[in-house]
Amino acid sequence: MVTTRDVEYDVGGVTMIGRLAVPDGDGARPAVLIAHEGPGLDDFQKERAQHFTELGYVAFALDYHGGGKPLDDRDQMMSRLGELSADPERIRVLGRAGLDVLLAEDRADASKVAAVGYCFGGTLVLELARGGADVQAVVGFHPGLGTTRPQDAANIKAKVLVCVGADDPFIPGEQRLAFEDEMRAAGVDWRMNLYGGVEHSFTHPGAERVDFPGVKYHQLTDKRSWRAMLDLFDEVFA
């Protein structure tokens, strides 16, 4: 069985509402922090917490927009993401707040923690790692790889996996190369999986409903990237 509940928490005066999921049983379990895609914490993103819990993890799907729901329109979303992109410390604060909620759960093993993000959520977990968060694995699915503070990669403690579509217009080759240089210079244990013929948001079955060029679900890559993440989890949580 899986127990799920919504958790309200405050970040800078804004009420966030995330989804916590805990597996049945006793004893500490590895924990996974989940950061949603740019449009917001929709039902599909909330269900990710349960999917992780079914595999035996304590999971918390954080909220980085507020209210625990998607934003109303594309312009609002782009404005919000633009503001956050220019302020990596704000991104890290949002990530640390979600991590605090996850680790406040008694069943969460603070020595075995992963942070997983999708789209801008991938950017968030990468910034969380650059801020020195004590997590063992960071996984970004179609994440924005850029940062205004690449030197902070020296603070990364986690093993890093990013899964990127080769035809993703939001993560061009130059950004991938800059990320490689950043990780290499900082001595991070990192890997990048590049999937040919794949565009942005390849993990979300409803991606194309946003009617945005370059955004398309890809079922096979969704499965392949999920397996790559689980391989990393097996490595760091063994």
Side-chain angles (χ1 to χ4, degrees):
M1 284 188 62
V2 174
T3 301
T4 63
R5 62 185 175 90
D6 289 341
V7 179
E8 289 191 12
Y9 60 108
D10 180 87
V11 184
V14 178
T15 298
M16 306 294 179
I17 307 174
R19 173 68 55 84
L20 180 70
V22 182
D24 195 19
D26 300 311
R29 299 297 306 162
V32 180
L33 180 69
I34 307 160
H36 58 77
E37 294 185 300
L41 187 57
D42 61 17
D43 289 341
F44 182 77
Q45 301 289 342
K46 291 177 182 178
E47 289 171 3
R48 290 191 190 278
Q50 182 167 335
H51 294 162
F52 279 105
T53 304
E54 289 168 352
L55 297 175
Y57 301 102
V58 175
F60 181 62
L62 61 74
D63 173 17
Y64 59 79
H65 288 327
K69 58 184 179 181
L71 297 177
D72 293 334
D73 59 49
R74 184 187 300 174
D75 290 342
Q76 183 185 18
M77 176 190 72
M78 297 305 293
S79 176
R80 170 68 172 166
L81 298 183
E83 291 172 2
L84 290 176
S85 296
D87 190 355
E89 185 52 42
R90 176 63 177 169
I91 300 174
R92 297 173 192 184
V93 166
L94 290 164
R96 286 193 292 266
L99 186 59
D100 287 345
V101 173
L102 174 64
L103 296 182
E105 166 54 46
D106 292 341
R107 298 282 310 286
D109 185 343
S111 70
K112 295 182 177 180
V113 182
V116 175
Y118 301 81
C119 184
F120 193 83
T123 303
L124 184 147
V125 297
L126 288 169
E127 285 295 354
L128 180 65
R130 292 183 182 105
D134 191 11
V135 298
Q136 286 64 58
V138 167
V139 182
F141 295 95
H142 39 89
L145 301 174
T147 179
T148 61
R149 287 160 58 174
Q151 68 276 10
D152 288 356
N155 300 321
I156 294 177
K157 302 173 184 177
K159 295 185 179 184
V160 173
L161 165 66
V162 292
C163 298
V164 179
D167 294 340
D168 187 332
F170 304 104
I171 313 174
E174 316 86 78
Q175 190 179 115
R176 300 198 303 261
L177 291 173
F179 182 78
E180 289 184 35
D181 290 342
E182 177 193 355
M183 295 294 105
R184 189 177 297 114
V188 176
D189 184 337
W190 69 281
R191 64 205 74 175
M192 180 186 297
N193 287 5
L194 193 62
Y195 301 95
V198 176
E199 299 174 90
H200 194 64
S201 289
F202 57 78
T203 61
H204 199 308
E208 292 160 78
R209 287 199 296 266
V210 301
D211 191 26
F212 210 97
V215 173
K216 188 175 183 180
Y217 176 63
H218 195 273
Q219 184 180 42
L220 183 56
T221 302
D222 185 11
K223 292 179 178 179
R224 287 172 171 171
S225 58
W226 180 264
R227 288 197 299 267
M229 177 197 68
L230 293 180
D231 285 345
L232 178 59
F233 286 4
D234 285 344
E235 180 181 322
V236 299
F237 295 151

